[in-house]
Amino acid sequence: MIQPQIVLLKEGTDTSQGKGQLISNINACAAVVEILKTTLGPRGMDKLIHVNNKVTISNDGATIIQLLDIVHPAAKTLADISKSQDDEVGDGTTTVVLLAGAFLNAAKSFIEDGVNPQVIIRGYRKACQVALKNLRELAVPLEQKQDMDSNRRVMLERCAQTALNSKLIENQKEFFGKMVVDAVLHLDRDELDIDLIGIKNVAGGSVTDSFLVEGVSFKKTFSYAGFEQQPKKFLNPIIVLLNVELELKSERSNAEIRISDPSKYQAIVDAEWKIIYDKLNLIVDSGAQIILSKLPIGDLATQFFADRDLFCAGRVPEVDLERVAAATGGQIQTSLRDLNEEVCGKCSLFEEIQIGKERYNMFSGCPEAKTVTLILRGGAEQFIAETERSVHDSIMIVKRCLQHNAIVAGGGAIEMELSRILKEYARDVTDKTALIISAYAQAFETIPRQLAQNAGFDSTDILNELRAKHAKGGKWYGVDIENEGTCDTFQKFVWEPAVVKSNSIAAATEAACIILSVDETIRNPKSEGLPDQGTPPMAR
């Protein structure tokens, strides 16, 4: 008897499942790793990504992977963990992708031999727990003191410089390392809100012309006639921050006005002028010398303030206005009826200066000092943009150092030590996961191997030497980029926050487990953005 055919899915739906699907997903992730792996480390290469008319040059893993426009559903998981690593700790975005790819590649042979994916996942999760436990034990706590002494500051600067080792501004890492630590230490110690660190890019000049403003600086806003007559420098000014529009508005645009006597029209016009003048007089009576507003300040108000030797700026970006409030102790007002000393801000110096071809308003000597601004210079837009990304990573690293107070050695040292520990642990495991844990441990060697390859060294010799050093108790030995060999990277001050490593290991393991748990992919024929049938796993 012939069984009737049951049509469950719409015609044109593409389904693939089983071992072949798992291998296909692993290969798609390997294609992403292949793109990113040459960017790892101090000798990593940059990628030039051309999207429409925008050109980006970067070796930041999160930036590259977001610009790749990956459409393969499994490979997008790597893009997600790279972004999460960037959001959470700010650095290690390439490392997390390479680790995930190594874990998947290690699992590939087991899948081909018919091992159930759940057995691999169970082994990986057990190994991850052991690795994170040992990482916490290996981490070296930073010295805890009430005041930020010189030794602690040196540690923070070295962590900041390590984050810049693999960046475009590596040769200026000492210059920027000091600047980054200064910036983070100006923040509130409890919150460490990095949104209060403003970064402004100004084309022109050398990268070493960059500087730190202990306060707020923002680009001169759009201004009306009369602005040129306003003073551009104040000592100890009183600052009013507003969310109020100071423009002469025609009231007929807000309401319908009917008059029976044409002579009364002048009274309506006079009322409109009285409204704006009342607002301006309230501001002047408050004693304010600098008026900043998120909303427009029109030509009438600009000239009004200029005649009284006051400075004003309208259409100030909200983020900059909030940073001025945090620095000066002022409060943003939506009404002008209660302007007093308590809601006004103060600083020791305000001035408008020329930086490159732009004019910038600067507030320095602020009493609260909870915010700073980094002015980044450079010859090309792409170079400045990459400098900004590099400085952001370094800022995040210093922030995590202050929050978690534990560091480990970089240069592949911690990965080699965890690999050794896990291999020893696997010898005591009696079930079939022993081989899987051993393969997981082997995958950690991807990081030092790639560091050596990117520097042009013989990675086999370097790995053999590192294995010998770690077997003899040299737990902090990693790749010596400068002298083509191995060295104690802790003594060389190549330091990284332990939280960066723990987050990357946990995220990479979880991503590998998610991909290994998928045994079927169903593509709806109407789905947008997916490659057509027959298109290679990595598309567009």
Side-chain angles (χ1 to χ4, degrees):
M1 181 178 178
I2 300 174
Q3 294 291 333
Q5 186 177 5
I6 299 173
V7 178
L8 180 63
L9 299 175
K10 191 179 294 186
E11 184 179 355
T13 301
D14 174 36
T15 63
S16 50
Q17 59 184 348
K19 184 191 296 186
Q21 178 60 34
L22 275 166
I23 300 298
S24 173
N25 287 344
I26 292 172
N27 289 340
C29 294
V32 177
V33 173
E34 195 67 25
I35 294 170
L36 283 187
K37 70 179 185 180
T38 56
T39 67
L40 183 70
R43 299 293 182 266
M45 305 296 285
D46 293 339
K47 304 294 180 185
L48 188 150
I49 303 162
H50 188 217
V51 181
N52 298 326
N53 291 325
K54 184 180 179 184
V55 175
T56 303
I57 300 174
S58 178
N59 68 354
D60 180 65
T63 302
I64 295 168
I65 209 166
Q66 292 299 320
L67 292 173
L68 283 178
D69 191 20
I70 298 169
V71 296
H72 193 286
K76 280 183 75 70
T77 306
L78 298 188
D80 293 339
I81 62 168
S82 181
K83 187 176 186 306
S84 72
Q85 178 82 4
D86 192 39
D87 293 342
E88 183 64 23
V89 292
D91 199 16
T93 53
T94 303
T95 301
V96 72
V97 174
L98 264 60
L99 279 178
F103 295 151
L104 288 169
N105 190 53
K108 187 176 178 180
S109 60
F110 293 110
I111 296 294
E112 291 171 340
D113 291 341
V115 178
N116 191 301
Q118 289 302 323
V119 176
I120 302 173
I121 291 170
R122 190 161 61 247
Y124 274 15
R125 286 186 170 150
K126 185 187 294 185
C128 181
Q129 290 175 358
V130 175
L132 293 177
K133 177 176 177 292
N134 282 278
L135 179 63
R136 287 191 291 270
E137 293 173 358
L138 288 167
V140 178
L142 289 175
E143 188 180 357
Q144 294 282 353
K145 287 188 178 180
Q146 291 297 322
D147 57 335
M148 192 65 62
D149 64 4
S150 60
N151 291 333
R152 186 165 168 78
R153 182 186 172 84
V154 168
M155 288 184 176
L156 292 174
E157 286 187 12
R158 285 169 180 162
C159 287
Q161 290 172 22
T162 300
L164 296 173
N165 265 340
S166 60
K167 305 299 182 184
L168 200 63
I169 52 175
E170 176 196 0
N171 293 332
Q172 292 82 28
K173 64 182 181 181
E174 292 183 4
F175 174 80
F176 282 103
K178 180 179 183 301
M179 189 184 297
V180 164
V181 173
D182 285 338
V184 176
L185 294 184
H186 270 87
L187 300 179
D188 187 288
R189 298 288 172 83
D190 297 326
E191 297 179 4
L192 290 176
D193 183 5
I194 64 166
D195 288 337
L196 293 177
I197 299 178
I199 300 180
K200 305 297 179 183
N201 301 338
V202 185
S206 167
V207 67
T208 52
D209 290 335
S210 304
F211 60 95
L212 176 74
V213 179
E214 296 180 2
V216 183
S217 178
F218 55 84
K219 188 178 174 182
K220 172 181 170 291
T221 59
F222 175 84
S223 54
Y224 289 91
F227 179 83
E228 295 80 5
Q229 302 168 33
Q230 294 181 353
K232 302 300 187 291
K233 184 175 181 178
F234 289 92
L235 294 174
N236 302 311
I238 297 174
I239 305 163
V240 166
L241 309 174
L242 303 174
N243 188 11
V244 178
E245 192 172 20
L246 297 176
E247 278 194 307
L248 180 61
K249 283 285 188 181
S250 178
E251 294 304 317
R252 61 177 174 272
S253 63
N254 299 325
E256 182 180 346
I257 302 172
R258 295 183 180 182
I259 56 175
S260 56
D261 185 356
S263 62
K264 294 181 179 178
Y265 179 73
Q266 186 59 43
I268 296 170
V269 174
D270 292 342
E272 293 169 352
W273 284 80
K274 184 177 184 302
I275 290 170
I276 184 68
Y277 275 119
D278 285 347
K279 289 180 179 179
L280 300 178
N281 284 318
L282 284 171
I283 294 171
V284 172
D285 292 343
S286 70
Q289 294 166 285
I290 298 174
I291 302 97
L292 304 179
S293 179
K294 190 174 82 170
L295 297 176
I297 296 179
D299 50 0
L300 173 67
T302 302
Q303 188 63 58
F304 185 91
F305 292 134
D307 292 342
R308 288 155 181 78
D309 289 333
L310 307 179
F311 176 91
C312 69
R315 295 190 178 95
V316 178
E318 184 176 2
V319 63
D320 288 327
L321 199 65
E322 289 175 352
R323 289 177 51 240
V324 173
T328 63
Q331 299 174 21
I332 300 174
Q333 300 295 299
T334 55
S335 169
L336 301 173
R337 294 292 173 186
D338 192 25
L339 294 180
N340 53 59
E341 189 175 344
E342 292 182 359
V343 301
C344 292
K346 296 180 179 65
C347 70
S348 61
L349 175 65
F350 165 81
E351 57 183 338
E352 182 178 299
I353 64 173
Q354 188 83 20
I355 305 177
K357 64 177 182 180
E358 306 287 355
R359 300 285 294 176
Y360 270 78
N361 298 325
M362 291 200 175
F363 300 81
S364 53
C366 301
E368 299 295 327
K370 293 178 181 177
T371 179
V372 294
T373 306
L374 295 169
I375 307 294
L376 301 182
R377 307 295 306 278
E381 288 183 14
Q382 290 88 351
F383 182 85
I384 301 175
E386 179 64 4
T387 301
E388 181 181 356
R389 285 188 287 268
S390 304
V391 167
H392 173 266
D393 287 358
S394 188
I395 287 170
M396 290 293 291
I397 287 297
V398 174
K399 174 184 175 180
R400 296 306 175 194
C401 279
L402 286 170
Q403 287 180 324
H404 297 276
N405 297 299
I407 58 173
V408 293
I414 189 66
E415 284 85 3
M416 286 300 299
E417 184 65 14
L418 291 176
S419 177
R420 182 192 65 79
I421 291 170
L422 285 170
K423 285 176 182 175
E424 291 181 358
Y425 173 79
R427 294 193 190 105
D428 298 329
V429 177
T430 56
D431 59 15
K432 65 182 72 174
T433 58
L435 286 174
I436 294 164
I437 294 172
S438 182
Y440 181 94
Q442 190 73 21
F444 275 108
E445 294 185 358
T446 297
I447 301 302
R449 183 186 300 277
Q450 197 60 50
L451 284 172
Q453 285 180 356
N454 290 350
F457 305 157
D458 187 324
S459 58
T460 303
D461 290 347
I462 298 290
L463 262 292
N464 287 337
E465 190 175 338
L466 283 175
R467 291 190 194 106
K469 293 285 188 183
H470 282 263
K472 295 177 182 178
K475 64 180 180 179
W476 295 133
Y477 271 82
V479 181
D480 187 351
I481 298 294
E482 295 176 357
N483 302 310
E484 190 172 350
T486 62
C487 67
D488 188 325
T489 51
F490 202 90
Q491 294 294 328
K492 288 269 190 176
F493 307 120
V494 182
W495 297 344
E496 298 181 64
V499 68
V500 173
K501 294 301 181 184
S502 62
N503 197 81
S504 62
I505 292 169
T509 305
E510 200 57 42
C513 291
I514 288 172
I515 292 168
L516 290 172
S517 67
V518 175
D519 73 337
E520 182 170 4
T521 301
I522 302 170
R523 285 190 178 91
N524 189 308
K526 291 186 178 180
S527 294
E528 296 180 1
L530 291 173
D532 298 332
Q533 295 181 26
T535 304
M538 273 292 296
R540 291 200 280 273

